[in-house]
Amino acid sequence: MKLDVSQYRLKLAETEEERLGAQRLRYRVFVEEMGATASPEKHAAQREWDAFDAHADHLILLQSVLTPDPLDRVVGVYRLMRRDAARTGAGFYGAKEFDLDPIERTDRDCVELGRSCVAPDHRGGPALHLLWTGLAEYVLERELEILFGVASFPGTDPAPLAEALSYLHRAHLAPPELRVRARNPITLPKLEAIDPLRAMRAIPPLIKAYLRLGGVIGEGAYVDREFNTVDVCLLMDTVAMTARYRALFQRSRSAPA
């Protein structure tokens, strides 16, 4: 499949305008679309931000067409928090939901992935592929080995998610040395039988994409009422990836961007 990428530019945010554009997109996706709570100040600015932003790298996808408001040019974003930046800044975002001690103990370089989103009008095309291309480039250039971050199911009622969450814990649980644990985890019912196909249909596409790349999850799930989600912690060990998927991940470096 040939992807038309001429309408986009992929880069790390370098200017204040680009960083504000990333926050504008986050507001529209997480607050307006998904129902996250926001302060009056954030509603007035139509941007979503927190204390972690100043210490992270922001991978952004810009549409080439000019928009009346330049902040609206950002149509895709990934927030990337290196461990050295977390230690000198505000820490890792996921630490409020998960005990990240296994990540903190390892001497392997790591990055936390967060606030990933694509504007609705740009989903289903090359946008997500390009973001993954940029993420691969970022990881490989810096020789990062562990990727992790909070990944979400929409809504705060865990009952409809019981089979999907139980399947993830049975089939994709992280190895003990990387097994972070949820703080105040939700209690899942003990299911006698799980239909893997039905469970997979209930898992959001981004989580399934990580699983295809060899991703695993930490123990437990966390209800984030502020963001109106049920969260798991996804982890990827780039060294432990199967040869097939590691090759796919590396080949994305040569994809057009």
Side-chain angles (χ1 to χ4, degrees), residues 37-95:
T37 301
S39 67
E41 184 182 11
K42 293 178 182 178
H43 282 304
Q46 293 193 320
R47 292 186 289 110
E48 189 278 315
W49 69 83
D50 61 24
F52 301 91
D53 284 347
H55 307 283
D57 289 327
H58 302 268
L59 178 66
I60 60 172
L61 190 64
L62 296 165
Q63 58 177 326
S64 57
V65 63
L66 296 179
T67 57
D69 186 335
L71 300 192
D72 293 336
R73 289 190 64 202
V74 178
V75 296
V77 65
Y78 248 115
R79 184 170 72 185
L80 308 171
M81 182 73 81
R82 297 275 302 276
R83 181 164 53 189
D84 54 353
R87 286 176 172 172
T88 58
F92 287 124
Y93 173 85

Short mmCIF file of all heavy atoms in Angstrom, two decimals, residues 37-95:
data_model
loop_
_atom_site.label_atom_id
_atom_site.label_comp_id
_atom_site.label_asym_id
_atom_site.label_seq_id
_atom_site.Cartn_x
_atom_site.Cartn_y
_atom_site.Cartn_z
N THR A 37 -12.20 15.63 32.41
CA THR A 37 -12.45 16.83 33.20
C THR A 37 -11.39 17.87 32.91
O THR A 37 -10.20 17.55 32.76
CB THR A 37 -12.44 16.49 34.70
OG1 THR A 37 -13.43 15.50 34.96
CG2 THR A 37 -12.72 17.72 35.55
N ALA A 38 -11.79 19.13 32.82
CA ALA A 38 -10.84 20.22 32.59
C ALA A 38 -11.24 21.42 33.43
O ALA A 38 -12.42 21.65 33.71
CB ALA A 38 -10.80 20.61 31.11
N SER A 39 -10.26 22.19 33.82
CA SER A 39 -10.49 23.38 34.63
C SER A 39 -11.11 24.48 33.76
O SER A 39 -11.01 24.45 32.53
CB SER A 39 -9.17 23.88 35.21
OG SER A 39 -8.32 24.34 34.17
N PRO A 40 -11.73 25.49 34.40
CA PRO A 40 -12.25 26.63 33.62
C PRO A 40 -11.16 27.28 32.77
O PRO A 40 -11.43 27.73 31.65
CB PRO A 40 -12.77 27.58 34.70
CG PRO A 40 -13.13 26.69 35.84
CD PRO A 40 -12.10 25.59 35.82
N GLU A 41 -9.93 27.34 33.29
CA GLU A 41 -8.83 27.93 32.55
C GLU A 41 -8.54 27.15 31.27
O GLU A 41 -8.31 27.73 30.20
CB GLU A 41 -7.58 27.97 33.43
CG GLU A 41 -6.39 28.66 32.79
CD GLU A 41 -5.15 28.64 33.67
OE1 GLU A 41 -5.15 27.92 34.70
OE2 GLU A 41 -4.18 29.32 33.31
N LYS A 42 -8.58 25.83 31.37
CA LYS A 42 -8.32 25.00 30.19
C LYS A 42 -9.47 25.09 29.19
O LYS A 42 -9.24 25.12 27.97
CB LYS A 42 -8.07 23.55 30.60
CG LYS A 42 -6.78 23.36 31.39
CD LYS A 42 -6.58 21.92 31.83
CE LYS A 42 -5.31 21.78 32.66
NZ LYS A 42 -5.10 20.40 33.14
N HIS A 43 -10.70 25.15 29.70
CA HIS A 43 -11.83 25.33 28.79
C HIS A 43 -11.72 26.65 28.04
O HIS A 43 -11.98 26.72 26.83
CB HIS A 43 -13.15 25.29 29.57
CG HIS A 43 -13.59 23.90 29.93
ND1 HIS A 43 -13.78 22.90 29.01
CD2 HIS A 43 -13.90 23.36 31.15
CE1 HIS A 43 -14.18 21.78 29.62
NE2 HIS A 43 -14.27 22.05 30.92
N ALA A 44 -11.35 27.71 28.76
CA ALA A 44 -11.24 29.03 28.13
C ALA A 44 -10.16 29.04 27.06
O ALA A 44 -10.32 29.64 26.00
CB ALA A 44 -10.96 30.09 29.19
N ALA A 45 -9.04 28.37 27.33
CA ALA A 45 -7.92 28.33 26.38
C ALA A 45 -8.11 27.28 25.30
O ALA A 45 -7.42 27.30 24.29
CB ALA A 45 -6.62 28.07 27.12
N GLN A 46 -9.04 26.33 25.54
CA GLN A 46 -9.24 25.18 24.65
C GLN A 46 -7.93 24.43 24.43
O GLN A 46 -7.58 24.06 23.32
CB GLN A 46 -9.84 25.62 23.31
CG GLN A 46 -11.26 26.14 23.42
CD GLN A 46 -11.94 26.27 22.08
OE1 GLN A 46 -11.34 26.69 21.09
NE2 GLN A 46 -13.20 25.89 22.02
N ARG A 47 -7.24 24.21 25.55
CA ARG A 47 -6.01 23.42 25.53
C ARG A 47 -5.98 22.51 26.76
O ARG A 47 -6.53 22.85 27.80
CB ARG A 47 -4.76 24.32 25.55
CG ARG A 47 -4.56 25.12 24.29
CD ARG A 47 -3.24 25.88 24.30
NE ARG A 47 -3.24 27.00 25.23
CZ ARG A 47 -2.54 27.06 26.35
NH1 ARG A 47 -1.76 26.03 26.71
NH2 ARG A 47 -2.58 28.11 27.14
N GLU A 48 -5.34 21.35 26.64
CA GLU A 48 -5.17 20.42 27.76
C GLU A 48 -3.68 20.33 28.06
O GLU A 48 -2.89 20.03 27.18
CB GLU A 48 -5.74 19.04 27.38
CG GLU A 48 -5.83 18.05 28.54
CD GLU A 48 -4.50 17.34 28.81
OE1 GLU A 48 -3.85 16.90 27.84
OE2 GLU A 48 -4.12 17.24 29.99
N TRP A 49 -3.30 20.62 29.31
CA TRP A 49 -1.89 20.60 29.68
C TRP A 49 -1.74 20.15 31.12
O TRP A 49 -2.71 20.08 31.88
CB TRP A 49 -1.27 21.99 29.50
CG TRP A 49 -1.76 23.02 30.48
CD1 TRP A 49 -1.33 23.23 31.75
CD2 TRP A 49 -2.81 23.97 30.26
NE1 TRP A 49 -2.03 24.26 32.35
CE2 TRP A 49 -2.94 24.74 31.45
CE3 TRP A 49 -3.64 24.27 29.17
CZ2 TRP A 49 -3.86 25.77 31.58
CZ3 TRP A 49 -4.56 25.29 29.30
CH2 TRP A 49 -4.67 26.03 30.49
N ASP A 50 -0.51 19.83 31.50
CA ASP A 50 -0.22 19.49 32.89
C ASP A 50 1.26 19.78 33.17
O ASP A 50 1.98 20.30 32.32
CB ASP A 50 -0.58 18.04 33.21
CG ASP A 50 0.18 17.02 32.37
OD1 ASP A 50 1.29 17.35 31.88
OD2 ASP A 50 -0.30 15.89 32.21
N ALA A 51 1.69 19.45 34.39
CA ALA A 51 3.05 19.78 34.83
C ALA A 51 4.12 18.97 34.10
O ALA A 51 5.31 19.32 34.17
CB ALA A 51 3.17 19.54 36.34
N PHE A 52 3.74 17.90 33.41
CA PHE A 52 4.71 17.05 32.74
C PHE A 52 5.15 17.61 31.38
O PHE A 52 6.21 17.26 30.87
CB PHE A 52 4.15 15.64 32.55
CG PHE A 52 3.77 14.96 33.84
CD1 PHE A 52 2.49 15.08 34.36
CD2 PHE A 52 4.70 14.23 34.57
CE1 PHE A 52 2.13 14.49 35.55
CE2 PHE A 52 4.36 13.62 35.77
CZ PHE A 52 3.08 13.76 36.26
N ASP A 53 4.33 18.45 30.80
CA ASP A 53 4.59 18.92 29.43
C ASP A 53 5.94 19.60 29.27
O ASP A 53 6.62 19.42 28.26
CB ASP A 53 3.48 19.88 28.99
CG ASP A 53 2.20 19.16 28.62
OD1 ASP A 53 2.22 17.93 28.47
OD2 ASP A 53 1.16 19.84 28.50
N ALA A 54 6.32 20.40 30.26
CA ALA A 54 7.55 21.20 30.13
C ALA A 54 8.80 20.34 30.09
O ALA A 54 9.86 20.80 29.65
CB ALA A 54 7.63 22.20 31.27
N HIS A 55 8.71 19.10 30.54
CA HIS A 55 9.90 18.24 30.66
C HIS A 55 9.96 17.16 29.57
O HIS A 55 10.93 16.41 29.52
CB HIS A 55 9.91 17.58 32.03
CG HIS A 55 9.79 18.56 33.16
ND1 HIS A 55 10.83 19.34 33.59
CD2 HIS A 55 8.71 18.91 33.91
CE1 HIS A 55 10.41 20.12 34.57
NE2 HIS A 55 9.14 19.88 34.79
N ALA A 56 8.94 17.09 28.73
CA ALA A 56 8.83 16.01 27.75
C ALA A 56 9.14 16.52 26.34
O ALA A 56 9.09 17.72 26.07
CB ALA A 56 7.43 15.40 27.79
N ASP A 57 9.43 15.57 25.45
CA ASP A 57 9.46 15.85 24.02
C ASP A 57 8.06 15.61 23.46
O ASP A 57 7.35 14.70 23.92
CB ASP A 57 10.45 14.94 23.30
CG ASP A 57 11.90 15.28 23.62
OD1 ASP A 57 12.19 16.46 23.83
OD2 ASP A 57 12.73 14.34 23.65
N HIS A 58 7.68 16.43 22.49
CA HIS A 58 6.35 16.29 21.90
C HIS A 58 6.51 16.00 20.41
O HIS A 58 6.94 16.88 19.64
CB HIS A 58 5.53 17.56 22.12
CG HIS A 58 5.38 17.92 23.56
ND1 HIS A 58 4.31 17.50 24.33
CD2 HIS A 58 6.18 18.64 24.40
CE1 HIS A 58 4.45 17.95 25.56
NE2 HIS A 58 5.58 18.63 25.63
N LEU A 59 6.22 14.78 20.01
CA LEU A 59 6.26 14.38 18.61
C LEU A 59 4.94 14.81 17.99
O LEU A 59 3.87 14.40 18.46
CB LEU A 59 6.44 12.87 18.50
CG LEU A 59 6.46 12.28 17.08
CD1 LEU A 59 7.68 12.77 16.31
CD2 LEU A 59 6.43 10.75 17.14
N ILE A 60 5.00 15.63 16.96
CA ILE A 60 3.77 16.17 16.39
C ILE A 60 3.70 15.89 14.90
O ILE A 60 4.71 15.77 14.21
CB ILE A 60 3.62 17.68 16.64
CG1 ILE A 60 4.80 18.46 16.03
CG2 ILE A 60 3.50 17.98 18.14
CD1 ILE A 60 4.61 19.98 16.06
N LEU A 61 2.47 15.80 14.42
CA LEU A 61 2.19 15.66 12.99
C LEU A 61 1.44 16.92 12.57
O LEU A 61 0.36 17.22 13.10
CB LEU A 61 1.34 14.42 12.74
CG LEU A 61 1.16 14.00 11.28
CD1 LEU A 61 2.50 13.59 10.67
CD2 LEU A 61 0.17 12.85 11.18
N LEU A 62 2.03 17.68 11.65
CA LEU A 62 1.44 18.92 11.16
C LEU A 62 0.81 18.68 9.79
O LEU A 62 1.41 18.04 8.93
CB LEU A 62 2.51 20.01 11.02
CG LEU A 62 3.20 20.50 12.30
CD1 LEU A 62 4.44 21.28 11.94
CD2 LEU A 62 2.25 21.35 13.11
N GLN A 63 -0.40 19.20 9.59
CA GLN A 63 -0.95 19.18 8.24
C GLN A 63 -0.36 20.35 7.46
O GLN A 63 -0.15 21.44 8.00
CB GLN A 63 -2.47 19.23 8.27
CG GLN A 63 -3.09 20.43 8.96
CD GLN A 63 -4.59 20.41 8.86
OE1 GLN A 63 -5.17 19.96 7.86
NE2 GLN A 63 -5.26 20.89 9.90
N SER A 64 -0.07 20.12 6.19
CA SER A 64 0.61 21.13 5.39
C SER A 64 -0.31 22.29 5.02
O SER A 64 0.16 23.41 4.81
CB SER A 64 1.19 20.50 4.12
OG SER A 64 0.17 19.85 3.37
N VAL A 65 -1.61 22.03 4.96
CA VAL A 65 -2.54 23.09 4.60
C VAL A 65 -2.61 24.12 5.72
O VAL A 65 -2.60 23.79 6.90
CB VAL A 65 -3.94 22.51 4.31
CG1 VAL A 65 -4.53 21.85 5.55
CG2 VAL A 65 -4.88 23.59 3.79
N LEU A 66 -2.64 25.39 5.35
CA LEU A 66 -2.75 26.45 6.33
C LEU A 66 -4.15 26.48 6.92
O LEU A 66 -5.14 26.20 6.23
CB LEU A 66 -2.41 27.80 5.70
CG LEU A 66 -0.97 27.96 5.19
CD1 LEU A 66 -0.78 29.35 4.56
CD2 LEU A 66 0.03 27.75 6.31
N THR A 67 -4.25 26.81 8.20
CA THR A 67 -5.53 26.88 8.89
C THR A 67 -5.71 28.28 9.46
O THR A 67 -4.72 28.97 9.75
CB THR A 67 -5.60 25.85 10.03
OG1 THR A 67 -4.51 26.08 10.93
CG2 THR A 67 -5.51 24.43 9.49
N PRO A 68 -6.96 28.74 9.64
CA PRO A 68 -7.17 30.07 10.20
C PRO A 68 -6.48 30.27 11.54
O PRO A 68 -5.94 31.34 11.82
CB PRO A 68 -8.70 30.15 10.34
CG PRO A 68 -9.21 29.20 9.30
CD PRO A 68 -8.22 28.09 9.24
N ASP A 69 -6.48 29.23 12.38
CA ASP A 69 -5.76 29.27 13.64
C ASP A 69 -4.56 28.34 13.49
O ASP A 69 -4.71 27.14 13.28
CB ASP A 69 -6.65 28.79 14.78
CG ASP A 69 -6.00 28.94 16.15
OD1 ASP A 69 -4.75 28.97 16.21
OD2 ASP A 69 -6.72 29.02 17.16
N PRO A 70 -3.33 28.86 13.58
CA PRO A 70 -2.15 28.00 13.36
C PRO A 70 -2.05 26.86 14.35
O PRO A 70 -1.41 25.85 14.04
CB PRO A 70 -0.98 28.98 13.52
CG PRO A 70 -1.53 30.17 14.24
CD PRO A 70 -2.97 30.26 13.84
N LEU A 71 -2.68 26.96 15.52
CA LEU A 71 -2.63 25.85 16.47
C LEU A 71 -3.36 24.62 15.93
O LEU A 71 -3.06 23.49 16.33
CB LEU A 71 -3.26 26.26 17.81
CG LEU A 71 -2.64 27.44 18.56
CD1 LEU A 71 -3.19 27.51 19.98
CD2 LEU A 71 -1.12 27.34 18.59
N ASP A 72 -4.29 24.83 15.01
CA ASP A 72 -5.07 23.72 14.47
C ASP A 72 -4.31 22.91 13.43
O ASP A 72 -4.83 21.91 12.92
CB ASP A 72 -6.38 24.23 13.85
CG ASP A 72 -7.33 24.79 14.89
OD1 ASP A 72 -7.22 24.39 16.07
OD2 ASP A 72 -8.18 25.62 14.53
N ARG A 73 -3.08 23.31 13.10
CA ARG A 73 -2.29 22.54 12.14
C ARG A 73 -1.81 21.22 12.74
O ARG A 73 -1.49 20.28 12.01
CB ARG A 73 -1.08 23.34 11.66
CG ARG A 73 -1.42 24.52 10.74
CD ARG A 73 -0.16 25.08 10.13
NE ARG A 73 0.50 24.10 9.28
CZ ARG A 73 1.79 24.15 8.96
NH1 ARG A 73 2.56 25.12 9.44
NH2 ARG A 73 2.32 23.23 8.18
N VAL A 74 -1.73 21.13 14.06
CA VAL A 74 -1.28 19.89 14.69
C VAL A 74 -2.43 18.89 14.69
O VAL A 74 -3.47 19.12 15.31
CB VAL A 74 -0.80 20.14 16.14
CG1 VAL A 74 -0.38 18.81 16.79
CG2 VAL A 74 0.36 21.12 16.16
N VAL A 75 -2.23 17.75 14.00
CA VAL A 75 -3.31 16.76 13.87
C VAL A 75 -2.92 15.41 14.46
O VAL A 75 -3.70 14.46 14.41
CB VAL A 75 -3.74 16.60 12.39
CG1 VAL A 75 -4.33 17.90 11.87
CG2 VAL A 75 -2.56 16.16 11.52
N GLY A 76 -1.73 15.31 15.02
CA GLY A 76 -1.30 14.08 15.69
C GLY A 76 -0.24 14.42 16.71
O GLY A 76 0.55 15.36 16.51
N VAL A 77 -0.22 13.68 17.82
CA VAL A 77 0.76 13.98 18.86
C VAL A 77 1.09 12.75 19.68
O VAL A 77 0.25 11.86 19.86
CB VAL A 77 0.24 15.12 19.78
CG1 VAL A 77 -0.99 14.69 20.55
CG2 VAL A 77 1.32 15.61 20.73
N TYR A 78 2.32 12.69 20.14
CA TYR A 78 2.80 11.73 21.14
C TYR A 78 3.63 12.53 22.13
O TYR A 78 4.52 13.29 21.73
CB TYR A 78 3.72 10.68 20.50
CG TYR A 78 3.20 9.28 20.43
CD1 TYR A 78 2.96 8.69 19.19
CD2 TYR A 78 2.98 8.53 21.58
CE1 TYR A 78 2.49 7.38 19.10
CE2 TYR A 78 2.52 7.23 21.50
CZ TYR A 78 2.27 6.66 20.25
OH TYR A 78 1.82 5.38 20.17
N ARG A 79 3.37 12.36 23.43
CA ARG A 79 4.24 12.96 24.42
C ARG A 79 5.24 11.90 24.88
O ARG A 79 4.85 10.80 25.26
CB ARG A 79 3.44 13.49 25.62
CG ARG A 79 4.33 14.21 26.63
CD ARG A 79 3.53 14.93 27.67
NE ARG A 79 2.88 14.03 28.61
CZ ARG A 79 2.05 14.43 29.57
NH1 ARG A 79 1.75 15.71 29.67
NH2 ARG A 79 1.51 13.55 30.39
N LEU A 80 6.54 12.24 24.84
CA LEU A 80 7.61 11.29 25.10
C LEU A 80 8.44 11.79 26.28
O LEU A 80 9.08 12.84 26.20
CB LEU A 80 8.49 11.13 23.86
CG LEU A 80 7.73 10.82 22.55
CD1 LEU A 80 8.68 10.89 21.36
CD2 LEU A 80 7.07 9.46 22.64
N MET A 81 8.44 11.02 27.36
CA MET A 81 9.17 11.40 28.57
C MET A 81 10.32 10.44 28.82
O MET A 81 10.11 9.28 29.22
CB MET A 81 8.24 11.40 29.78
CG MET A 81 8.91 11.85 31.08
SD MET A 81 9.24 13.61 31.14
CE MET A 81 7.60 14.19 31.62
N ARG A 82 11.55 10.90 28.57
CA ARG A 82 12.73 10.10 28.87
C ARG A 82 12.92 10.02 30.38
O ARG A 82 12.54 10.91 31.13
CB ARG A 82 13.97 10.74 28.23
CG ARG A 82 13.94 10.81 26.71
CD ARG A 82 14.43 9.52 26.09
NE ARG A 82 15.78 9.21 26.52
CZ ARG A 82 16.88 9.70 25.96
NH1 ARG A 82 16.80 10.55 24.95
NH2 ARG A 82 18.08 9.36 26.41
N ARG A 83 13.59 8.95 30.83
CA ARG A 83 13.77 8.77 32.28
C ARG A 83 14.60 9.88 32.90
O ARG A 83 14.29 10.35 33.99
CB ARG A 83 14.39 7.41 32.61
CG ARG A 83 14.55 7.21 34.11
CD ARG A 83 14.80 5.78 34.49
NE ARG A 83 15.91 5.20 33.77
CZ ARG A 83 16.22 3.91 33.81
NH1 ARG A 83 15.48 3.08 34.53
NH2 ARG A 83 17.25 3.43 33.14
N ASP A 84 15.65 10.33 32.20
CA ASP A 84 16.47 11.41 32.78
C ASP A 84 15.66 12.69 32.92
O ASP A 84 15.80 13.42 33.90
CB ASP A 84 17.74 11.64 31.95
CG ASP A 84 17.46 11.90 30.48
OD1 ASP A 84 16.30 11.79 30.06
OD2 ASP A 84 18.42 12.22 29.74
N ALA A 85 14.76 12.95 31.96
CA ALA A 85 13.91 14.14 32.06
C ALA A 85 12.89 13.98 33.18
O ALA A 85 12.58 14.94 33.89
CB ALA A 85 13.18 14.37 30.73
N ALA A 86 12.37 12.77 33.36
CA ALA A 86 11.42 12.54 34.44
C ALA A 86 12.07 12.75 35.81
O ALA A 86 11.47 13.34 36.72
CB ALA A 86 10.85 11.12 34.34
N ARG A 87 13.30 12.30 35.94
CA ARG A 87 13.97 12.39 37.24
C ARG A 87 14.34 13.82 37.59
O ARG A 87 14.39 14.18 38.77
CB ARG A 87 15.22 11.50 37.23
CG ARG A 87 14.88 10.02 37.32
CD ARG A 87 16.11 9.14 37.22
NE ARG A 87 15.78 7.74 37.49
CZ ARG A 87 16.63 6.73 37.32
NH1 ARG A 87 17.85 6.95 36.88
NH2 ARG A 87 16.24 5.49 37.59
N THR A 88 14.60 14.65 36.60
CA THR A 88 14.93 16.04 36.89
C THR A 88 13.70 16.94 36.83
O THR A 88 13.81 18.13 37.15
CB THR A 88 15.98 16.56 35.89
OG1 THR A 88 15.47 16.44 34.55
CG2 THR A 88 17.27 15.78 36.01
N GLY A 89 12.58 16.39 36.42
CA GLY A 89 11.36 17.19 36.28
C GLY A 89 10.26 16.74 37.22
O GLY A 89 10.44 16.65 38.43
N ALA A 90 9.12 16.40 36.63
CA ALA A 90 7.92 16.09 37.41
C ALA A 90 7.70 14.59 37.59
O ALA A 90 6.67 14.17 38.11
CB ALA A 90 6.70 16.72 36.72
N GLY A 91 8.66 13.77 37.17
CA GLY A 91 8.48 12.33 37.27
C GLY A 91 7.73 11.79 36.06
O GLY A 91 7.58 12.47 35.04
N PHE A 92 7.27 10.55 36.18
CA PHE A 92 6.47 9.93 35.12
C PHE A 92 4.99 10.13 35.42
O PHE A 92 4.53 9.95 36.54
CB PHE A 92 6.76 8.43 35.04
CG PHE A 92 8.10 8.08 34.45
CD1 PHE A 92 8.99 7.29 35.16
CD2 PHE A 92 8.46 8.51 33.18
CE1 PHE A 92 10.23 6.95 34.62
CE2 PHE A 92 9.69 8.17 32.63
CZ PHE A 92 10.57 7.40 33.35
N TYR A 93 4.24 10.43 34.38
CA TYR A 93 2.79 10.61 34.52
C TYR A 93 2.14 9.35 35.08
O TYR A 93 1.28 9.41 35.97
CB TYR A 93 2.18 10.95 33.16
CG TYR A 93 0.67 10.98 33.15
CD1 TYR A 93 -0.01 12.13 33.53
CD2 TYR A 93 -0.07 9.86 32.77
CE1 TYR A 93 -1.39 12.16 33.54
CE2 TYR A 93 -1.45 9.89 32.77
CZ TYR A 93 -2.12 11.04 33.16
OH TYR A 93 -3.49 11.06 33.16
N GLY A 94 2.55 8.18 34.58
CA GLY A 94 1.92 6.93 34.97
C GLY A 94 2.11 6.54 36.41
O GLY A 94 1.42 5.65 36.92
N ALA A 95 3.01 7.22 37.12
CA ALA A 95 3.29 6.85 38.52
C ALA A 95 2.11 7.10 39.44
O ALA A 95 2.01 6.51 40.51
CB ALA A 95 4.52 7.61 39.02
#
